[in-house]
Amino acid sequence: MKPEPADAIATALDQLRSRGERITDARRAVIETLAHLGDHPSAEQLSTSVQETHPSVHRATIYRTLDTLTALGVATHVHVSGGASAYHLASSTHRDHLHASCLACGRIVDLPGDLLDPVVSRLSNEGLFLLDPSMVALAGTCEDCLAVRAPS
Amino acid sequence: MKPEPADAIATALDQLRSRGERITDARRAVIETLAHLGDHPSAEQLSTSVQETHPSVHRATIYRTLDTLTALGVATHVHVSGGASAYHLASSTHRDHLHASCLACGRIVDLPGDLLDPVVSRLSNEGLFLLDPSMVALAGTCEDCLAVRAPS
DNA sequence: CTGCTTGCAAAGTGTTTGCAGGCCC
DNA sequence: GGGCCTGCAAACACTTTGCAAGCAG
């Protein structure tokens, strides 16, 4: 089900090009690494990974690139409770899912994108708050860690 | 509607005493300041406030005290997207509400405590995740900022 | 007294910024 | 070539830690 990383990379680069952004080695490196990791790395982790293949790319550039990619909608990030932000490409197959960080193992897991729709409606109806699900950092325990803690 | 800060302070101190924790000037200062601010200050803001009335209390102590208070359940904290954690006393009148940070003004607003119950159930039923609502940092736009952005 | 707490200073994360030079288009 | 991007280093915000002295119980 996972798309070829190559597809995701090409898509991302196209998005950059069509926005008139420049394609540089650093940006290519960030996008390629994001695509190949496929995970939800933090900027710091990503920085480490990128430097394995492209040692000349500076950390600060990674941060700036992620900023740019996020601003363009090519990538998204979740601010994880008390930790570093997690990034991933906004490829079409991953679209519109939510993120939750497991307090036990620290991983970011994907959850259904419509999960918070009822909550958004309720808050909206009651005039309390305009909730932006994509900005929400859910937290709790993932199924793997649940299995460990509470074996049947 | 707000309880006298004095009540909240007394309650908090009692909780400390009954847990066998020591009552020190620093702890009293933190609790008093939390009670009087009534808001959801960050550790850093709290530190600043405390030092206005108790200049001898060190920042590091504030962090340690907040840690202790949180561990005891006397205070709670929300990890706010990309920023500092926000703290407040877990006084009975405030109990069990959720927090959302406004992306426009940065404030922390309180939302109904049962807001995420359906979400918790759904995730639990589907065996996906054990969501801990108290650890969730909601985000979006608060009603005040909505009013500004979208005047009738 | 005993040992939990504090003050202080320093280190540790995660991230941002100013600047000069470099490369994309 | 013009100006966006980058590398570098330093600063920044927030938080944690080791240690010796101090105070609560």
Side-chain angles (χ1 to χ4, degrees), chain B residues 67-137:
Chain B
D67 245 28
T68 307
L69 294 181
T70 301
L72 294 174
V74 176
T76 25
H77 66 294
V78 218
H79 279 295
V80 74
S81 279
S85 299
Y87 291 84
H88 66 76
L89 287 180
S91 73
S92 49
T93 55
H94 277 127
R95 74 179 234 282
D96 242 15
H97 59 272
L98 298 178
H99 300 100
S101 67
C102 174
L103 299 172
C105 67
R107 271 183 309 181
I108 308 283
V109 307
D110 293 342
L111 295 178
D114 60 352
L115 196 62
L116 293 179
D117 289 356
V119 178
V120 173
S121 304
R122 173 174 165 190
L123 289 175
S124 170
N125 288 338
E126 298 181 12
L128 291 176
F129 199 79
L130 175 60
L131 184 65
D132 179 353
S134 72
M135 290 281 108
V136 169

Side-chain angles (χ1 to χ4, degrees), chain A:
Chain A
M1 279 303 127
K2 278 281 168 66
E4 284 298 314
D7 284 357
I9 295 170
T11 305
L13 290 177
D14 280 350
Q15 286 178 274
L16 281 190
R17 255 185 289 267
S18 66
R19 297 286 206 111
E21 289 289 325
R22 295 185 180 171
I23 312 292
T24 64
D25 283 349
R27 290 181 173 184
R28 222 190 309 267
V30 168
I31 291 173
E32 284 174 3
T33 308
L34 269 178
H36 282 108
L37 286 181
D39 209 351
H40 296 84
S42 68
E44 207 81 359
Q45 292 173 323
L46 189 62
S47 166
T48 305
S49 285
V50 166
Q51 280 174 24
E52 281 170 16
T53 54
H54 304 254
S56 63
V57 176
H58 197 271
R59 256 199 348 278
T61 302
I62 309 243
Y63 280 93
R64 277 189 283 228
T65 301
L66 286 174
D67 246 29
T68 307
L69 294 182
T70 301
L72 294 175
V74 176
T76 27
H77 65 297
V78 218
H79 279 294
V80 92
S81 280
S85 300
Y87 291 84
H88 64 76
L89 286 179
S91 74
S92 50
T93 55
H94 278 129
R95 74 179 234 284
D96 243 15
H97 61 271
L98 298 179
H99 300 101
S101 67
C102 175
L103 299 173
C105 66
R107 270 181 310 180
I108 308 282
V109 307
D110 292 344
L111 295 179
D114 60 352
L115 197 61
L116 292 179
D117 289 355
V119 178
V120 173
S121 304
R122 174 174 164 190
L123 289 175
S124 170
N125 288 337
E126 299 182 10
L128 292 175
F129 199 80
L130 176 61
L131 185 65
D132 180 353
S134 72
M135 290 281 108
V136 169
L138 299 168
T141 315
C142 73
E143 47 178 342
D144 290 355
C145 291
L146 275 180
V148 172
R149 277 196 176 177
S152 63

